[in-house]
Amino acid sequence: MSHPKTCTHTDSIHHVVPSAKGCEECLKIGSPWVHLRLCRSCGHVGCCDDSPHRHARAHFQQTGHPIIEGYDPPEGWGWCFVDRVGLDLGDDTTPQIGPIPRYV
């Protein structure tokens, strides 16, 4: 019998200040995004894997910061890139510094 996979990186979840009012890199290059993801290690705001540039995943690949939060609006869930498992953040969500620009 297999056990459900759990995240082993919850100690990396911090209260953070969002780095931008949208995907930090997309705002700089004028690119659209689909959904936003917030790094719970440092506050970097990046776009999701359905977006053209996948900046949240690129941030993980560059930094190793494992956990992102669904961030537009804060949705109460997270994802660990390392363990490839979802997390229930409950009320531990990050308030938006909005309003968040909408592109898609």
Side-chain angles (χ1 to χ4, degrees):
M1 180 180 222
S2 65
H3 297 286
K5 201 166 187 186
T6 59
C7 175
T8 58
H9 300 88
T10 54
D11 60 344
S12 72
I13 298 175
H14 302 288
H15 290 107
V16 295
V17 176
S19 64
K21 291 185 178 183
C23 175
E24 189 173 336
E25 291 83 5
C26 285
L27 286 170
K28 289 176 185 171
I29 63 174
S31 179
W33 62 78
V34 178
H35 297 290
L36 297 175
R37 305 294 181 242
L38 175 75
C39 175
R40 287 300 300 264
S41 292
C42 72
H44 173 269
V45 179
C47 55
C48 70
D49 283 355
D50 290 330
S51 299
H53 298 287
R54 302 177 176 185
H55 286 122
R57 181 174 297 276
H59 176 75
F60 160 67
Q61 291 169 338
Q62 291 169 354
T63 64
H65 296 168
I67 297 176
I68 55 169
E69 173 184 347
Y71 185 61
D72 60 346
E75 300 168 15
W77 63 266
W79 176 258
C80 179
F81 282 114
V82 177
D83 293 318
R84 295 172 40 185
V85 65
L87 304 164
D88 182 356
L89 297 174
D91 292 331
D92 187 18
T93 59
T94 306
Q96 287 186 325
I97 56 171
I100 302 295
R102 292 286 172 209
Y103 284 103
V104 177

